[in-house]
Amino acid sequence: MKNLQVVEKEFSSLPIIDISALVSGKGNLYSAASQIRQACRESGFFYIIGHGVDENLQQRLEELSRQFFAQDLETKLKIRMALAGIAWRGYFPVGGELTSGKPDLKEGIYFGTELPDEHPLVQAGTPMHGANLFPANMPQFGETVLEYIEAMTKLGHTLMTGIAMSLGLEESYFADRYTSDPLVLFRIFNYPPNLSPSDGNPIWGVGEHTDYGVLTILKQDDSGGLQVKSKSGWVAAPPVPGSFVCNIGDMLDKMTGGFYRSTPHRVQNQSQNHRLSFPFFFDPNFDVEVKPIELDNYSSE
Ligand SMILES: O=C(O)CCC(=O)C(=O)O
Ligand SMILES: [Fe+2]
């Protein structure tokens, strides 16, 4: 999370970019790349459509997630984060996660690439590497999460080719240097309906923050509540059917010397329902050192 005092840019909405050419490798790849460039310069946020991620898989994931969170706390705590140690996986209850020191109004589960105990990195005690904690009473949940992680990892690689092209770099720039074995973090959050406090201070589902990594790809349900910080105020990022919301994290902001923006955002569930969201964080290989990207076209739009 970067220093939030950076100069914000003005924007009033987030663009919707059709990335089907990047996914298929056919058609006008440069049009998608130039739209990505503009979005990353302006707000660091954009919707994608034409991504090809199976709708049925997404529905199954959402349904199973609702079933998981609807269980009593004791059952959910059977996969609590403390049981996974440094692998950093499992369930945390409402109030169990803080943003800038304040508890968020959400519960959630952390997942990552599934690695068996015998894997050398797990044996070596590498942080964030290990087996997932899946609920034993819902066998389909684990399978579906792994299928989704696979689909999103593929999408992450595709988007990184688009981002490379958008910077005028060769398509494989990130794959060659940084993301051949990406660190992926997948979270599922459940934001309870927001019971407005009597003192008038809003309770945030997630307080204002920027994302740490390179790229975040977010699936959200139809509740709404995500807001992105523009110079003159907060811009809503409401659900758009069939889309994901993508945003740039601090690492890519740093790598481009701030040319691409890691923009503060926050969540408040103002609906009467439980809001589910599914952020997928696509980050560089765990042991790689991230360096500035030398570009000669930083100044041109
Ligand atoms: O739930 C959301 O819509 C966004 C969550 C988020 O910003 C994050 O996990 O970094
Ligand atoms: Fe975020």
Side-chain angles (χ1 to χ4, degrees), residues 185-231:
L185 307 176
F186 175 46
R187 295 169 184 171
I188 304 179
F189 293 141
N190 177 32
Y191 301 86
N194 195 351
L195 311 166
S196 285
S198 48
D199 66 3
N201 287 325
I203 301 175
W204 298 104
V206 180
E208 176 178 345
H209 69 282
T210 55
D211 292 352
Y212 296 107
V214 165
L215 173 69
T216 307
I217 313 170
L218 175 87
K219 168 180 167 58
Q220 57 175 330
D221 74 3
D222 53 14
S223 305
L226 174 62
Q227 304 173 3
V228 184
K229 196 175 198 177
S230 163
K231 191 171 181 184

Side-chain angles (χ1 to χ4, degrees), residues 35-60:
Q35 290 174 64
I36 290 175
R37 180 183 178 96
Q38 200 182 345
C40 293
R41 295 278 297 125
E42 252 168 47
S43 64
F45 269 79
F46 54 95
Y47 292 89
I48 52 167
I49 55 170
H51 47 70
V53 176
D54 186 13
E55 189 59 44
N56 179 275
L57 167 63
Q58 295 190 56
Q59 273 168 18
R60 273 187 286 137

Side-chain angles (χ1 to χ4, degrees), residues 26-247:
K26 292 189 212 103
N28 197 344
L29 282 76
Y30 289 94
S31 162
S34 79
Q35 290 174 64
I36 290 175
R37 180 183 178 96
Q38 200 182 345
C40 293
R41 295 278 297 125
E42 252 168 47
S43 64
F45 269 79
F46 54 95
Y47 292 89
I48 52 167
I49 55 170
H51 47 70
V53 176
D54 186 13
E55 189 59 44
N56 179 275
L57 167 63
Q58 295 190 56
Q59 273 168 18
R60 273 187 286 137
L61 179 71
E62 190 168 328
E63 183 51 39
L64 288 161
S65 304
R66 277 192 204 284
Q67 282 174 29
F68 175 82
F69 289 118
Q71 301 177 110
D72 57 42
L73 184 61
E74 196 189 339
T75 307
K76 291 185 276 193
L77 285 170
K78 287 191 174 140
I79 58 159
R80 62 188 175 277
M81 289 187 78
L83 299 174
I86 56 166
W88 204 245
R89 312 287 166 94
Y91 171 77
F92 69 88
V94 172
E97 193 165 77
L98 312 179
T99 301
S100 304
K102 294 214 178 79
D104 289 336
L105 188 61
K106 68 177 186 331
E107 60 182 337
I109 329 176
Y110 282 43
F111 302 102
T113 304
E114 179 74 15
L115 293 180
D117 290 347
E118 309 79 73
H119 192 282
L121 289 172
V122 184
Q123 290 281 317
T126 317
M128 314 194 77
H129 289 69
N132 286 293
L133 296 180
F134 291 131
N137 61 336
M138 295 179 61
Q140 284 178 331
F141 194 27
E143 284 165 30
T144 306
V145 164
L146 290 181
E147 208 182 314
Y148 187 75
I149 289 179
E150 195 181 324
M152 297 309 277
T153 304
K154 196 165 157 225
L155 178 59
H157 285 295
T158 301
L159 282 164
M160 292 317 293
T161 64
I163 290 174
M165 289 169 69
S166 77
L167 287 165
L169 302 165
E170 75 260 22
E171 275 175 50
S172 61
Y173 181 90
F174 292 102
D176 291 346
R177 290 162 185 79
Y178 298 114
T179 54
S180 56
D181 180 21
L183 181 73
V184 305
L185 307 176
F186 175 46
R187 295 169 184 171
I188 304 179
F189 293 141
N190 177 32
Y191 301 86
N194 195 351
L195 311 166
S196 285
S198 48
D199 66 3
N201 287 325
I203 301 175
W204 298 104
V206 180
E208 176 178 345
H209 69 282
T210 55
D211 292 352
Y212 296 107
V214 165
L215 173 69
T216 307
I217 313 170
L218 175 87
K219 168 180 167 58
Q220 57 175 330
D221 74 3
D222 53 14
S223 305
L226 174 62
Q227 304 173 3
V228 184
K229 196 175 198 177
S230 163
K231 191 171 181 184
S232 60
W234 290 91
V235 172
V240 170
S243 76
F244 295 109
V245 177
C246 295
N247 67 282

